[in-house]
Amino acid sequence: MPNKQRYLTLDGMRGVAALLILVRHNDIYFGKFRFNESFLAVDLFFVLSGFVVAGAYSERLRQGLNWRSFMLLRLVRFYPLYLLGTLLGLAAMLGGMLFGRVGEQVTYAEIGASLTLNVFFIPSFFMRDLFPLLTVAWSLFWELLVNFAYSQVWPSLSRKRLLALLACSALSLILAATRCVVDSGSAPGLDSAWMAATRVVFSFGMGLLLQRMPKADFRVPPVLLLGASAIALGFNPQGDFRPLYEICFILLISPALVYLGAASEPKNGLEARLYAFLGAVSYALYVLHKPIGLLLSIAFKHLVHVGVAHFAPWSGLVLIAVLLAICGILDRYYDGPARRWLLTKV
């Protein structure tokens, strides 16, 4: 595995963003507590990914790491938890069909076809979602694509060319927003693909640029940055201001948070350990929160005959605690060992 500098504040921000997405996709557990703009956490993830990938791999690419090996390393990073999430998503969908959970009507043939494609990271273009068994996987798919593009163009990606790419992708993002809503990347279709591509290219490219820039010469208390991330993702703009806010978050707020977070490490040992834990479980939390939440809600309703919504928001706090524990265990005993085993095979 590459040697990487640890950015604990960025880890904490990643964890906070994953928690807000958890609330978004398991709204029945939380009642009135909703975060309409929390989907923008994906754009924050893309900036973080570009920043971390450039720091971890740019020197190795210069030293001869070929693009095939690079993509295998990136795929190994994603795949164990992605596969587990897909299988849990399959169980949740079948459980919903068997126990009468209200939802999208799909056939067993469509489920089988989606499973066959999705386990190979191939989207299900014939379904409402590109990855119906694990809907959040659309962002992983696009991240793999932008990682591949980076592996091809990095030798010629000077700062001037990177700035030109960012300018073009920012303009494309604004134009795409006139055709469809920003939160449309998980759906098939040309407009959705245009929106998703511009989001990932701009945000990942901004992460590359931030890695090349000198660090900020001042420190912001990390807890303020985590709070600012939560507020920015939990903001609820109304009417015509909503798409404007979403574009501003992608173009300005998200890169600013990462830039400041990279220069603002925690000084307290307990705070540092908390951020390290949030970073360690953030990916598992992002990939597994929805299928596990669905499975638990189906099982609870079947066994107790009362929906989890009846106990909101306390049921949501229990769900967060359960998921954090599960993700911590999986990080230590499944994801890490599985990735190390896969690395011996590629």
Side-chain angles (χ1 to χ4, degrees):
M1 296 295 290
N3 294 321
K4 297 182 290 184
Q5 179 180 348
R6 195 69 185 269
Y7 294 93
L8 292 175
T9 300
L10 298 185
D11 281 345
M13 290 165 57
R14 186 186 293 110
V16 167
L19 286 170
L20 291 179
I21 290 183
L22 180 160
V23 176
R24 176 185 182 84
H25 289 157
N26 291 287
D27 55 336
I28 60 172
Y29 286 85
F30 295 91
K32 296 180 181 180
F33 291 91
R34 299 174 185 270
F35 301 98
N36 293 334
E37 300 303 303
S38 57
F39 74 90
L40 292 169
V42 171
D43 301 277
L44 180 62
F45 292 155
F46 287 150
V47 179
L48 288 167
S49 177
F51 183 84
V52 172
V53 165
Y57 290 101
S58 58
E59 186 60 33
R60 295 189 68 190
L61 289 167
R62 290 190 192 97
Q63 293 176 357
L65 180 69
N66 61 60
W67 70 266
R68 294 179 182 85
S69 298
F70 170 76
M71 289 305 299
L72 281 172
L73 289 171
R74 299 305 294 151
L75 186 59
V76 165
R77 174 66 185 94
F78 290 141
Y79 196 74
L81 285 170
Y82 166 77
L83 178 61
L84 178 60
T86 298
L87 296 177
L88 289 174
L90 172 65
M93 183 172 286
L94 293 176
M97 295 172 69
L98 290 173
F99 295 107
R101 181 180 176 274
V102 178
E104 181 185 9
Q105 297 300 311
V106 296
T107 66
Y108 288 109
E110 289 173 328
I111 293 174
S114 293
L115 178 63
T116 303
L117 292 172
N118 291 173
V119 294
F120 295 105
F121 253 120
I122 302 173
S124 302
F125 292 105
F126 54 88
M127 298 289 284
R128 190 185 71 174
D129 294 302
L130 293 175
F131 293 85
L133 304 178
L134 188 64
T135 53
V136 299
W138 73 269
S139 64
L140 305 181
F141 171 74
W142 281 101
E143 185 161 341
L144 283 173
L145 289 182
V146 79
N147 273 255
F148 172 75
Y150 172 68
S151 72
Q152 301 300 306
V153 304
W154 73 267
S156 59
L157 197 60
S158 63
R159 179 172 294 193
K160 183 180 294 186
R161 290 176 178 175
L162 180 55
L163 288 171
L165 176 65
L166 289 171
C168 291
S169 57
L171 177 60
S172 180
L173 177 64
I174 295 170
L175 293 175
T178 66
R179 297 288 301 270
C180 61
V181 296
V182 176
D183 184 22
S184 62
S186 63
L190 292 178
D191 286 344
S192 297
W194 180 15
M195 176 59 74
T198 54
R199 287 172 69 185
V200 68
V201 169
F202 177 84
S203 295
F204 187 88
M206 183 57 72
L208 300 180
L209 179 64
L210 293 178
Q211 183 62 244
R212 299 183 184 189
M213 292 173 60
K215 285 186 179 180
D217 57 2
F218 58 91
R219 178 182 179 273
V220 179
V223 67
L224 293 184
L225 290 174
L226 267 65
S229 301
I231 292 171
L233 293 171
F235 189 56
N236 188 24
Q238 301 295 320
D240 295 337
F241 180 62
R242 183 174 182 179
L244 177 62
Y245 175 77
E246 292 166 354
I247 295 298
C248 287
F249 180 90
I250 296 171
L251 299 183
L252 301 173
I253 299 175
S254 178
L257 288 171
V258 174
Y259 178 68
L260 295 174
S264 306
E265 289 298 278
K267 295 182 178 179
N268 180 278
L270 179 60
E271 185 182 12
R273 288 192 293 273
L274 173 61
Y275 295 172
F277 173 76
L278 288 174
V281 301
S282 59
Y283 176 53
L285 203 61
Y286 178 68
V287 173
L288 302 179
H289 70 272
K290 190 170 184 178
I292 290 179
L294 287 173
L295 283 170
L296 290 177
S297 67
I298 293 169
F300 191 84
K301 181 64 179 287
H302 181 67
L303 296 174
V304 184
H305 306 293
V306 178
V308 294
H310 181 74
F311 301 98
W314 308 112
S315 55
L317 296 178
V318 173
L319 177 66
I320 289 175
V322 169
L323 277 168
L324 286 174
I326 290 174
C327 292
I329 292 170
L330 287 173
D331 176 68
R332 173 170 292 189
Y333 296 107
Y334 169 69
D335 186 39
R339 285 189 282 130
R340 287 191 291 271
W341 179 81
L342 286 172
L343 285 173
T344 67
K345 305 298 179 183
V346 298

